[in-house]
Structure formats: C-alpha cells, structure tokens
Amino acid sequence: INFLNRNGVHGNGVHHVNIKGALYPIKSKSRRQRWEVKPSEMANNTLNPIRAIVDGMKLTPNPEKPMIALSIGDPTVFGNLPTDGAVLQAMKDAIDSQKYNGYAPSVGYLQSRQAVANFYSCPEAPLEAEDVILTSGCSQAIDLAISVLCNPGDNILVPCPGFSLYKTLAVSMGIEVKLYNLLPEKSWEVDLQHMESLIDERTSCLIITNPSNPCGSVFNKKHLQEILKVASRHCVPILADEIYSDMVRCSSPSMASLSSDVPILSCGGLAKRWLVPGWRMGWILIHDRDDIFGTEIRQGLVKLSQRILGACSIVQGALEQILDSTPQSFYNNTIGFLKSNSEICFSELSSVPGLNPVMPSGAMYIMIGIDMDHFPDFKNDVDFTERLVTEQSVFCLPASAFEYPNFFRIVVTVPEEMMLEACARIREFCQSHYRPPSRDSNDLDQ
C-alpha cells in the first residue's frame, strides 16, 4: 500500500488529484508552464494566391483619374447587372412564408434538391433529388468534392491558368496539386498529352473548369470527349466546375451528358448566371451511371455536408421558384451584354502594340498576353499591372495570380462606357512604355 504525503504524492512519486473523495493519478509533466497557442497546420497551409500577390502590390491610383477596377469577379459591383425581378420576388415570397427560418437538412430541402435535379436533368445525364447536394455557394461544393475524393498525399490535376481556390483548398488538406497546361494559341484548350503525363497511382481527381475562369474559354463537344477518354483510360473521376455553364456564346454540352463511364461531380450554383454571388447557394450534381461512386461517395458527401449544417434555408426555399420563373430573356440579356463587352475589349486591345488578347467564348473574363520583351520598364506582369494603376488608375489582375505569368485578366462586367475608357487608358499606357524590336548588333554593323 502506498500512502500519500502532505503534498498529495504517493511514495512512488505519482501525483494524484482528489475529486469528490476519489483519487485520480495525473502525470506530473502534463501541466503547461506557459501559454503557447499556435495556429493549426491547416491554417498555416491555407494560402490564397490572388491575395498573396495583390496584397503585395503597391496600388496607388493616379489622383487625376477615377479608379476603374477590372479585377473583381463579382458581376454586381457596378450595379449595371441586377438580377431579375422574378428572382427577387422568389426570395421575398420565401421570407414572407416564414417556412424557412429553421434548420434545413444538411444536404438541403428535398423539394429544393428536386428542383435543381429537374432543371439540369437531361436524357443523357438524368438526375433525381438524391443526386443533388445543396451547398453554401459553389466554393463549398468544390470543397466538399475535393474532400470526399482525396486523402493527404494524393494529387489532383488542376488547369493552368486556373481558378486559385482549387490549390488553396487542396494544399490546406495535404493534397498535392499538379498543373496541366491550357493552350492560348488553341483558345485555351487542354494540352491533353501534358495532362495525361501527370497522372499516377495517387491521382484522385481531375478538375475541369468549363467555361473557364480566368480564360473565358469554352470547350467544344469533341474536346470534352477527348478529356473524358483520358480520364476513362486512367480511371480518374472528374470534378467539373460548371458555375459558368450556359453563360456561353457557343454550344458547349455539360461534361456529364457526354460521359459513358467516367463518374463526375459537377459543381454549380446561383452566383454567376443569376447574378447573386452573395446569396451563397451552390450545389453538387452526382453523375454516376455505372455506380462507380456507389453509396460510399454519396454517404461521404452527406457526412461532410453536416460540418456546417447546410446552405441558407431562405435561399433554398426560394430555389424552385427562381429556377422555374426566371425568364429566358434575362439570361439572353446577360449573355448579350458580356458578348458585346468582350468584343469591345478584344477589338480595342488587339490593335495595341505589345498586347495579345485571346477572344473568349463564355463566362465573364478575357485574358490579355503581354509581350514583355517590348516593355523593358517592367520586370513582369505584376509590375506591369501595378504601374497601370499608378499611371492610369486601371486595375487588372496579373495572371501570376493564376500561376500564368505575362498575362493579365480583365473582368468584362463593367458598364460599356467604362470598358471603353479603360481600354483607352491601357492603350495610352502601352504606347508610352512600348519599345519596338531592337536590331541585333550584326544589323547595326551593316
């Protein structure tokens, strides 16, 4: 028998604590001597490349010229692209009904999921309510899709240039990101040979963004089928980021409608097509005609959705009415405006020496190549766009933010007169800094 001394220590040196008359041993080294609270590895590994670059830029506009920001992928910023009245009425009706003030199921109301299934179902890729997971914006849809398919140490294939969120999410989870090239000379089609060369036994997901942010490109049916063949050959599922689906000026079928065997998680939402990014309503469409995902991936998505208890209940309550009541004219007007602004931007900047715009076919962006050899005043695209702000008060996002240097991205949602003014300022800026090709020393000697 060991007896306690007056300090509460047994003869064998083990500390005990008295709780309601009972003695419990505690390890003598368990008490921390000082405060030391550190952020988690996940927090430390979370980095937004856009913020990392933009926050490091010296953005001091020319005080004599009003600022024109062509950098933000939010179509509501300038107030010239309001959502349709039917969309607003659906939200008002949902609020007034007082049916949607409580928690919804984490995957969404069944009626709302069925509405999304009905809206996107087609004979080639049929959908039911059980194939739809409602999420807090398309960003959470992408987060859930990566989380359910990938483990730490796995790798995913991501387009370059591509939306920066994929890397932000993956790296924070310990997932390697492999970048496959898009080809500007082919309107940003995938370099299929390069993409296939990156696949190995730890590749757990292939991300396809169509239409593209930041490129504004749209893949045709043939190219989508070629991508599917690569995924099928290597048994790699696809995460299809289709948030800009139907915001196109050409025919582009959904990835799932062309797949005969490759399972696809299609991510979308209200943000862009309905011009309400702040409402945070997204979804995952589960396409799995050969039952490759089976019940496990579906159950995994349900479990992951329970981490934040689902998307906004009021927007869910309005969803069926939004999808059923928004007139086709609203979609057409948005596409028409984006098409017109894209053509203006492309036309104006195509004739500027040193710039090489790539004509987009969808989404709300255009990428502009910079012949850096003709702009010796600048080290790179970040320096170029920083000085564009300083001298002309026009802010474009350097494509280094998308890991694609010597380009910059323009958002084409600004009012037309602002787009024309911005293009005129970019022209003036380039003319003042452009240097024509220099003749080499042999030419000078002759």
Side-chain angles (χ1 to χ4, degrees):
I1 299 173
N2 291 319
F3 293 95
L4 288 172
N5 63 25
R6 69 172 64 183
N7 296 319
V9 181
H10 270 294
N12 60 9
V14 177
H15 289 262
H16 283 66
V17 62
N18 190 322
I19 301 176
K20 295 183 179 180
L23 294 173
Y24 296 90
I26 59 172
K27 295 179 180 179
S28 59
K29 293 183 179 179
S30 66
R31 190 174 73 82
R32 290 178 178 170
Q33 301 302 311
R34 57 190 174 84
W35 285 98
E36 190 175 18
V37 183
K38 295 181 178 179
S40 67
E41 286 187 22
M42 187 178 197
N44 285 334
N45 291 333
T46 300
L47 175 70
N48 184 328
I50 294 178
R51 287 261 56 89
I53 287 177
V54 172
D55 290 349
M57 296 173 72
K58 300 181 183 69
L59 300 176
T60 308
N62 181 340
E64 297 180 4
K65 297 187 177 187
M67 185 70 169
I68 302 177
L70 304 178
S71 57
I72 305 169
D74 182 345
T76 71
V77 167
F78 296 96
N80 60 313
L81 290 174
T83 192
D84 191 75
V87 178
L88 297 176
Q89 190 59 51
M91 277 289 276
K92 293 172 185 174
D93 291 347
I95 293 170
D96 290 343
S97 75
Q98 299 203 49
K99 293 179 182 177
Y100 308 108
N101 295 335
Y103 290 120
S106 65
V107 293
Y109 290 119
L110 183 63
Q111 182 179 353
S112 305
R113 295 163 67 199
Q114 188 63 58
V116 174
N118 294 343
F119 192 81
Y120 286 103
S121 187
C122 64
E124 300 81 14
L127 290 165
E128 297 294 339
E130 65 180 14
D131 303 316
V132 178
I133 307 283
L134 298 184
T135 62
S136 182
C138 188
S139 297
Q140 196 210 3
I142 295 167
D143 187 3
L144 294 185
I146 293 174
S147 298
V148 81
L149 294 175
C150 308
N151 286 306
D154 286 351
N155 63 74
I156 62 173
L157 271 51
V158 170
C160 182
F163 184 38
S164 61
L165 182 69
Y166 311 136
K167 184 174 183 178
T168 299
L169 294 170
V171 172
S172 73
M173 300 179 204
I175 298 161
E176 181 187 359
V177 172
K178 293 184 175 183
L179 302 175
Y180 65 84
N181 293 331
L182 305 182
L183 304 170
E185 67 275 14
K186 292 187 175 181
S187 299
W188 302 109
E189 284 191 348
V190 174
D191 183 337
L192 294 166
Q193 188 174 355
H194 180 236
M195 182 177 74
E196 188 161 13
S197 73
L198 298 174
I199 298 173
D200 62 24
E201 68 280 356
R202 293 301 302 269
T203 303
S204 55
C205 176
L206 166 60
I207 296 182
I208 302 295
T209 315
N210 185 48
S212 167
N213 173 14
C215 303
S217 54
V218 179
F219 298 150
N220 61 33
K221 179 179 178 179
K222 179 176 179 290
H223 191 56
L224 289 171
Q225 289 171 327
E226 291 170 337
I227 294 169
L228 283 164
K229 286 178 184 176
V230 173
S232 179
R233 253 195 314 271
H234 296 275
C235 300
V236 177
I238 287 177
L239 189 169
D241 182 351
E242 298 180 323
I243 186 64
Y244 295 99
S245 69
D246 300 306
M247 294 181 75
V248 298
R249 278 91 76 182
C250 58
S251 174
S252 183
S254 70
M255 198 111 214
S257 68
L258 301 176
S259 176
S260 59
D261 62 331
V262 178
I264 294 169
L265 296 180
S266 172
C267 299
L270 289 182
K272 303 302 166 71
R273 194 181 184 199
W274 285 268
L275 305 176
V276 285
W279 289 12
R280 311 311 302 138
M281 175 53 62
W283 46 73
I284 298 175
L285 309 180
I286 305 168
H287 296 278
D288 186 28
R289 68 181 62 188
D290 282 3
D291 205 32
I292 293 167
F293 284 151
T295 58
E296 289 183 289
I297 294 296
R298 291 173 184 271
Q299 289 173 355
L301 286 168
V302 172
K303 290 176 183 177
L304 289 167
S305 74
Q306 293 167 349
R307 293 175 61 172
I308 69 161
L309 297 179
C312 175
S313 59
I314 291 173
V315 186
Q316 288 189 52
L319 197 49
E320 182 176 17
Q321 191 174 329
I322 289 172
L323 298 177
D324 290 346
S325 302
T326 305
Q328 185 62 40
S329 59
F330 167 73
Y331 305 131
N332 294 343
N333 289 341
T334 303
I335 292 170
F337 174 83
L338 296 174
K339 179 177 184 289
S340 174
N341 254 12
S342 297
E343 289 172 347
I344 288 170
C345 186
F346 180 81
S347 175
E348 292 293 318
L349 298 185
S350 288
S351 59
V352 176
L355 297 186
N356 299 297
V358 182
M359 184 65 189
S361 300
M364 48 191 220
Y365 311 101
I366 182 171
M367 287 277 274
I368 315 293
I370 314 167
D371 286 333
M372 294 305 302
D373 291 344
H374 296 312
F375 295 101
D377 295 346
F378 311 117
K379 297 189 292 287
N380 51 39
D381 56 307
V382 177
D383 195 20
F384 181 97
T385 51
E386 186 178 273
R387 290 278 293 279
L388 182 57
V389 172
T390 303
E391 296 181 21
Q392 294 291 341
S393 297
V394 174
F395 184 28
C396 304
L397 199 61
S400 287
F402 308 106
E403 307 204 54
Y404 206 80
N406 302 336
F407 276 75
F408 61 90
R409 186 192 75 173
I410 287 178
V411 178
V412 297
T413 55
V414 299
E416 181 178 314
E417 62 275 12
M418 200 175 285
M419 177 60 74
L420 287 165
E421 171 65 18
C423 288
R425 293 190 200 175
I426 293 170
R427 175 185 295 275
E428 182 181 320
F429 175 80
C430 290
Q431 287 173 339
S432 66
H433 293 282
Y434 179 82
R435 300 292 179 270
S438 60
R439 293 184 300 167
D440 60 30
S441 57
N442 290 334
D443 291 335
L444 293 173
D445 291 339
Q446 292 174 359

